[in-house]
Amino acid sequence: MNARQTKVINKMLDTGKDGFEGGMTAKKYISIAKTTKATATRDLTELVELGILTQNLAGRSTNYTLNLCKKQLTYE
């Protein structure tokens, strides 16, 4: 991950589950990372490929949510 991606993921984690109404969008990414639309789209696509984000919908309504592991560990 690059510095922009780390900054955005940390922001998403800091705000909590309901912090980003409608999920992360390219517009929100641009605002947080102070980058261009093309770079935001590339960064978001890479985060999806890495399994960090999940893409919801497509086109103008595309948004992304954190792909958090919810697996519980049990000890015997």
Side-chain angles (χ1 to χ4, degrees):
M1 283 191 343
N2 62 44
R4 292 181 307 273
Q5 292 167 322
T6 301
K7 181 177 182 177
V8 171
I9 295 302
N10 284 337
K11 180 76 167 178
M12 291 179 80
L13 290 169
D14 288 345
T15 57
K17 180 182 173 186
D18 300 321
F20 281 91
E21 188 168 326
M24 177 57 64
T25 63
K27 186 174 181 178
K28 291 175 187 176
Y29 192 99
I30 292 165
S31 177
I32 295 166
K34 308 290 188 241
T35 192
T36 65
K37 184 172 184 182
T39 299
T41 302
R42 277 193 305 273
D43 283 356
L44 288 165
T45 299
E46 184 178 339
L47 289 169
V48 170
E49 290 170 356
L50 291 170
I52 296 168
L53 294 179
T54 300
Q55 182 177 345
N56 306 306
L57 304 173
R60 295 185 69 130
S61 300
T62 302
N63 64 65
Y64 304 85
T65 53
L66 282 170
N67 192 15
L68 299 175
C69 179
K70 296 180 181 177
K71 183 178 178 181
Q72 285 188 330
L73 298 175
T74 57
Y75 297 96
E76 296 181 25

